[in-house]
Amino acid sequence: MAGMENRKTLAVIWALIPLANAFAFTKVPIAALIEDGASGLRLTELFRMKLFWILFVMMICAGASEQAVSQWASTFAEMGLGISKTAGDLAGPMAFAILMGTSRAFYGKYGERIHPERFMIYSSCLCIVSYLGISLFPLPQLCLLACAVCGLSVGIMWPGTFSKASAALPKGGTAMFALLALGGDVGCSAGPTLVGLVSEAFGNDLKTGVLAGVIFPILLLAGIVHSGHKKAG
């Protein structure tokens, strides 16, 4: 609606959101990660825990599972359906984001009634199915629908892994959450990179690239199951 020539102005308008957050953080109370008087685990202590490394890999896979599809959804829509970039953005990343946000809002509202580990297992299975659908469905419209469903499936992965880490390692403290966030960011880069590299190797075939990316939700599912039998230490 604004026109491509006004994209810089739109970027400045969007910058008002983090600016507003800067003021909000001065007013909103933030709960302490650990109880008063207690000390969090040191990095060396965390690094000796097998459970921490499982959670770290889960965070990498959570970020990769989310971004491997969302970062390529617009291009996929344009190439597969032959539509404009505007329509591709609306049909791809926007649908993905809406369903991802819906999943997180649902969990935030009804999380106390839901077993988080089961929710993550079901979501991981749905994510695997959506990746396979994107890669193997013959009709572009069905592939795009699978992209949207993928957004629904990944919504719980990142916050769910944080919640699981908080419950499993209550003394993890700031160091643990900082490292987990780092793992998530590594995954956010690794997922789209793998899809892009594999796609390029197979003649810019995005379906093949996404098919390679299914390794991330598979590893995440394995981590959820394994961590459920693993004790801290």
Side-chain angles (χ1 to χ4, degrees), residues 36-191:
D36 293 338
S39 58
L41 295 173
R42 296 190 296 271
L43 289 177
T44 54
E45 294 174 312
L46 282 171
F47 291 159
R48 288 197 297 266
M49 294 181 172
K50 293 182 180 179
L51 180 55
F52 166 75
W53 288 110
I54 294 174
L55 292 166
F56 187 78
V57 172
M58 286 173 58
M59 279 301 300
I60 293 176
C61 294
S65 298
E66 178 180 319
Q67 296 298 318
V69 169
S70 67
Q71 290 298 308
W72 289 103
S74 178
T75 304
F76 188 85
E78 293 174 55
M79 294 175 60
L81 300 178
I83 57 181
S84 67
K85 174 169 175 54
T86 300
D89 286 342
L90 293 174
M94 185 174 177
F96 181 98
I98 289 174
L99 287 179
M100 183 175 69
T102 300
S103 173
R104 290 181 176 174
F106 176 83
Y107 184 72
K109 178 69 174 179
Y110 301 104
E112 294 181 355
R113 308 177 193 175
I114 300 172
H115 192 287
E117 192 166 287
R118 291 177 187 171
F119 195 7
M120 290 184 70
I121 289 175
Y122 297 151
S123 294
S124 296
C125 291
L126 181 61
C127 186
I128 293 170
V129 171
S130 65
Y131 266 70
L132 294 176
I134 295 168
S135 308
L136 303 177
F137 281 153
L139 296 177
Q141 292 84 352
L142 291 178
C143 296
L144 200 58
L145 178 62
C147 285
V149 173
C150 185
L152 184 69
S153 69
V154 300
I156 187 57
M157 291 179 176
W158 189 298
T161 304
F162 269 118
S163 297
K164 191 172 181 64
S166 178
L169 300 173
K171 293 185 179 180
T174 305
M176 180 184 72
F177 288 105
L179 289 171
L180 291 179
L182 173 63
D185 289 338
V186 169
C188 287
S189 175

Side-chain angles (χ1 to χ4, degrees), residues 200-212:
E200 185 177 9
F202 284 85
N204 294 324
D205 185 358
L206 269 178
K207 284 194 171 187
T208 304
V210 173
L211 183 60

